[in-house]
C-alpha cells in the first residue's frame, strides 16, 4: 500500500492558483451581492447582513437608503423609525445602535465620509476586519480577502490552510494569490459556497473543482443526486460546465435562495 506524500508549499500554491482559474470560469457573474451605490451604503448593508441573507438585506435597503442618504442622517436618526425599517434583518436593536454610532463617528472623525484605509475602518462602530475588506474591495478598489463563513469553510475543505482564526486565514490565503486577485477571489469562493459547495451536502458530483478538492466525496458524487443540489439563476449552466444534462437540475433550483 502506498501513501500519498504530503503536499509541498509550492504544490499547494499551484493547486490554489488552479482552483482560482477554475472558479473564474465557473462563476463569471461573481460580484458583491449587497446592492449599493457608494461606500456608506455598502457599509450599512454589510452591517445589516450579519446573521441575515443578502437577499433580505437588499429587500430592506431601497427604502432605508432613500430615507438616510448621509452619515449625518444616521447620526440623527430616530431610533424607533430606524429600528422599524431594518427589523426584517434581525437583531435590529443592536444594528440600529451600530448604524447611529457609525453615523456619529463618521461625522465626528471623517467629515461624514467613509475612510478608505483598513486601519481607520476597523475603528468604526459595527465594522470589523471582514466588513472593512468588503468596503475596501468593492467601494474603493483596494484588494482585500473577505473571510466570511463560506470562505472559511471552503478554503479549509480544499486544504489550502489549517488556520481557524479569520485573520490568519486571510493572511494564509493571501499568500497563495496575487494581491490584485483578492477581491474577486473572495466573491468567487463565496459564490461557489452558496451555489455548489454547501456546508452539509456539497454537490461534489456537479463541481468543477472535483479533481482539485481533497474533500471530494463529502457530498453525493452521482450526477443526478449532485445536480439537484445546485442553486441559483445559473444552476443549469453550472451543470453544463461539468458535462451534466442541465435537465437534471430541478426548475425550482434556479429560483432558490442562496444561503
Amino acid at each position: 500500500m502506498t501513501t500519498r506524500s504530503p503536499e509541498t508549499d509550492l504544490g499547494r500554491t499551484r493547486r490554489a492558483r488552479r482552483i482560482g482559474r477554475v472558479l473564474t470560469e465557473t462563476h463569471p457573474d461573481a460580484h458583491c451581492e449587497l446592492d449599493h451605490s457608494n461606500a456608506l451604503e455598502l457599509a450599512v448593508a454589510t452591517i445589516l447582513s450579519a446573521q441575515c441573507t443578502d437577499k433580505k438585506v437588499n429587500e430592506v435597503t431601497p427604502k432605508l437608503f432613500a430615507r438616510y442618504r448621509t452619515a449625518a442622517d444616521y447620526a440623527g436618526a430616530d431610533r424607533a423609525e430606524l429600528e422599524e425599517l431594518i427589523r426584517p434583518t434581525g437583531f435590529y436593536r443592536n444594528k440600529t445602535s451600530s448604524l447611529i454610532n457609525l453615523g456619529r463617528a463618521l461625522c465626528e472623525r471623517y467629515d461624514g465620509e467613509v475612510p478608505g484605509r483598513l486601519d481607520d475602518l476597523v475603528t468604526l462602530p459595527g465594522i470589523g476586519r471582514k466588513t472593512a475588506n468588503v468596503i475596501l474591495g468593492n467601494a474603493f478598489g483596494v484588494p482585500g480577502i473577505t473571510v466570511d463563513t463560506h470562505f472559511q469553510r471552503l478554503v479549509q475543505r480544499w486544504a489550502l490552510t489549517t488556520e481557524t482564526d479569520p485573520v490568519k486565514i486571510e493572511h494564509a490565503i493571501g499568500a497563495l494569490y496575487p494581491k490584485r486577485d483578492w477581491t474577486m477571489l473572495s466573491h468567487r469562493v463565496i459564490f461557489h459556497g452558496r451555489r455548489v459547495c454547501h456546508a452539509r451536502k456539497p454537490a461534489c458530483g456537479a463541481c468543477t473543482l472535483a479533481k482539485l478538492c481533497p474533500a471530494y466525496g463529502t457530498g453525493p458524487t452521482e450526477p443526478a443526486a449532485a445536480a439537484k443540489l445546485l442553486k441559483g439563476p445559473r444552476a443549469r449552466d453550472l451543470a453544463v460546465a461539468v458535462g451534466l444534462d442541465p435537465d437534471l437540475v430541478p426548475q425550482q433550483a434556479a429560483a432558490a435562495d442562496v444561503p
Side-chain angles (χ1 to χ4, degrees):
M1 179 178 178
T2 59
T3 57
R4 180 177 295 181
S5 299
E7 188 173 42
T8 64
D9 290 344
L10 178 59
R12 184 179 302 106
T13 298
R14 287 175 172 170
R15 185 167 60 87
R17 299 286 179 91
R18 288 198 293 273
I19 287 173
R21 289 193 292 271
V22 173
L23 288 175
T24 299
E25 296 172 358
T26 304
H27 303 290
D29 57 330
H31 61 280
C32 177
E33 295 191 271
L34 292 170
D35 294 340
H36 66 281
S37 60
N38 57 53
L40 178 61
E41 290 184 356
L42 181 55
V44 169
T46 307
I47 289 172
L48 295 181
S49 70
Q51 304 297 312
C52 182
T53 65
D54 289 356
K55 181 180 179 182
K56 178 59 66 176
V57 173
N58 290 338
E59 291 173 0
V60 167
T61 50
K63 187 178 291 186
L64 180 71
F65 293 162
R67 174 67 181 85
Y68 302 95
R69 297 180 180 276
T70 68
D73 290 337
Y74 287 100
D78 176 81
R79 172 174 285 274
E81 178 187 31
L82 184 52
E83 284 184 356
E84 191 59 32
L85 278 172
I86 69 171
R87 181 187 292 265
T89 69
F91 301 96
Y92 60 93
R93 291 191 177 92
N94 287 340
K95 291 178 182 179
T96 294
S97 295
S98 292
L99 294 182
I100 291 174
N101 290 330
L102 172 65
R104 290 173 179 169
L106 290 175
C107 289
E108 291 168 3
R109 289 153 47 193
Y110 299 104
D111 296 322
E113 300 295 326
V114 176
R117 295 176 63 250
L118 179 67
D119 290 346
D120 293 329
L121 285 168
V122 295
T123 68
L124 295 169
I127 296 182
R129 191 177 180 95
K130 181 186 77 172
T131 300
N133 276 324
V134 171
I135 296 168
L136 289 173
N138 297 283
F140 293 100
V142 177
I145 290 177
T146 302
V147 184
D148 75 345
T149 54
H150 298 289
F151 190 97
Q152 179 168 341
R153 175 169 56 80
L154 265 61
V155 297
Q156 290 172 341
R157 187 170 274 176
W158 296 334
L160 296 183
T161 181
T162 57
E163 300 290 355
T164 57
D165 176 75
V167 177
K168 291 182 179 179
I169 291 172
E170 178 188 333
H171 292 314
I173 301 303
L176 299 175
Y177 294 92
K179 188 173 182 177
R180 64 178 181 273
D181 295 340
W182 288 355
T183 299
M184 285 308 302
L185 173 72
S186 299
H187 290 321
R188 290 166 186 145
V189 172
I190 292 168
F191 257 56
H192 201 71
R194 288 174 168 172
R195 290 154 175 79
V196 182
C197 193
H198 312 297
R200 294 182 180 176
K201 206 172 183 182
C204 290
C207 180
T208 54
L209 296 174
K211 293 181 180 179
L212 297 168
C213 180
Y216 177 76
T218 301
T221 58
E222 197 275 319
K228 291 178 181 178
L229 298 174
L230 298 174
K231 289 184 178 181
R234 293 187 63 254
R236 294 191 168 186
D237 293 332
L238 295 173
V240 171
V242 291
L244 299 184
D245 181 348
D247 289 336
L248 291 173
V249 179
Q251 188 171 0
Q252 62 268 29
D257 289 347
V258 291

